Amino acid sequence: MSEAVSPIDRRSRDAGHLFAAHPPVLHNPNKQVVFEIACPEGTVHAGRVEYTRWAAMPLPGRLCPERAAERLARHAGFYDYERVLAEEGAVEWHVNFADPQLFGFYGGGLFAQDEMQVAEHPVLGALREALVAEGRAALTVEGGRPTPVLVKGAERRCRVETAPDASEGRPRGLYGNLFASASREAVRRATSRIEPPTVSNVIAIAAPSYGSGAYTAAQVRQVLVTAFTGFRAAVLESGGGPVAVHSGFWGCGVFGGHRVLMTLLQALAA
């Protein structure tokens, strides 16, 4: 795998400079409400954002399903970004259920997993704007081949509750298209600032979308290569310590993926 151990693109940015030069562009007023809570006037954005983009890596010749099963831990609910590894030098990553256009719809009214993650980590929106301004390929898929993107060091500055709660003005919740139709007050009440912010690492990978019927062998292999490349890149970017990847039903919302298959393939990739 020597030809695939280096990323095809790497950028390291000071978070404050990134925000100053390329602030997130928000078209939806409810996204603006979230941003104003996450980043009120005078906010200081700290640390460095490490961006890498990776070409598809060749799969190993063999794997052991029993070992794959041993590497899994099940947790109910949505991402809470709580750490699960206590070892020194451990690094944890969260999968971004990406579109082929990296963070491509963060500024609009949709509030699926990808857009929710960018809303809570607004530096990801600034990163996209910087990549586009520089003419770089802000893509997780190019020419039909996966090009996973990793972002290390993204501050999580707020949390947004999406579960239904009629008493808080969101009787059907805020997930997906319900976010855009909610009142600004309901969105404001659902959003809480994280101070000081925590820091997250993100693996942006795109699943097959809008298909129907049985998966083909080529589609299954594409999913496995995508997940393997993203997870392997996370190991390479983690400095040799223990690594945990937090994921879920990747590609199983609006993309229409099969929950059992997509979970199984991620386990095999890990």
Side-chain angles (χ1 to χ4, degrees):
M1 290 176 26
S2 59
E3 74 280 4
V5 296
S6 297
I8 57 178
D9 195 11
R10 180 185 292 276
R11 304 293 286 171
S12 178
R13 301 294 190 86
D14 176 85
H17 293 165
L18 192 60
F19 263 94
H22 304 283
V25 179
L26 303 173
H27 308 289
N28 179 266
N30 281 345
K31 291 283 177 68
Q32 189 65 42
V33 169
V34 173
F35 182 79
E36 289 169 357
I37 294 172
C39 302
E41 187 175 351
T43 294
V44 175
H45 302 279
R48 297 196 70 81
V49 176
E50 307 289 339
Y51 158 88
T52 53
R53 182 170 175 247
W54 302 77
M57 299 183 191
L59 295 173
R62 307 179 59 140
L63 58 82
C64 179
E66 291 79 9
R67 288 192 64 199
E70 292 170 357
R71 290 172 181 262
L72 295 180
R74 179 179 176 182
H75 299 276
F78 300 99
Y79 282 173
D80 56 17
Y81 295 93
E82 295 293 330
R83 292 185 61 85
V84 298
L85 298 179
E87 297 94 330
E88 184 176 354
V91 181
E92 304 195 20
W93 298 80
H94 285 78
V95 172
N96 171 270
F97 298 179
D99 185 84
Q101 294 284 336
L102 177 68
F103 313 137
F105 304 98
Y106 80 91
L110 184 63
F111 209 58
Q113 192 268 359
D114 181 0
E115 294 76 28
M116 187 186 309
Q117 195 167 62
V118 180
E120 294 186 342
H121 302 77
V123 73
L124 299 179
L127 175 62
R128 174 175 174 80
E129 297 303 326
L131 294 171
V132 172
E134 294 171 359
R136 294 180 176 271
L139 300 171
T140 62
V141 178
E142 186 172 25
R145 296 287 289 167
T147 58
V149 167
L150 271 61
V151 183
K152 194 173 183 182
E155 288 186 322
R156 185 180 183 224
R157 292 197 156 269
C158 72
R159 62 175 60 86
V160 182
E161 296 292 340
T162 60
D165 188 336
S167 68
E168 293 293 326
R170 51 179 198 274
R172 295 191 296 153
L174 294 178
Y175 190 79
N177 291 318
L178 294 170
F179 178 85
S181 61
S183 70
R184 296 189 191 185
E185 181 57 28
V187 172
R188 186 173 289 107
R189 292 166 70 175
T191 306
S192 55
R193 189 178 181 210
I194 297 175
E195 184 59 46
T198 57
V199 177
S200 303
N201 306 310
V202 172
I203 304 170
I205 49 177
S209 58
Y210 309 116
S212 61
Y215 286 84
T216 66
Q219 287 172 326
V220 171
R221 183 177 183 84
Q222 177 90 338
V223 171
L224 187 57
V225 168
T226 300
F228 174 77
T229 301
F231 297 173
R232 176 66 180 155
V235 171
L236 295 173
E237 289 293 292
S238 294
V243 175
V245 174
H246 300 257
S247 190
F249 294 134
W250 166 49
C252 299
V254 295
F255 277 14
H258 190 277
R259 289 186 171 193
V260 174
L261 180 65
M262 296 300 287
T263 301
L264 175 61
L265 292 174
Q266 290 183 86
L268 293 176

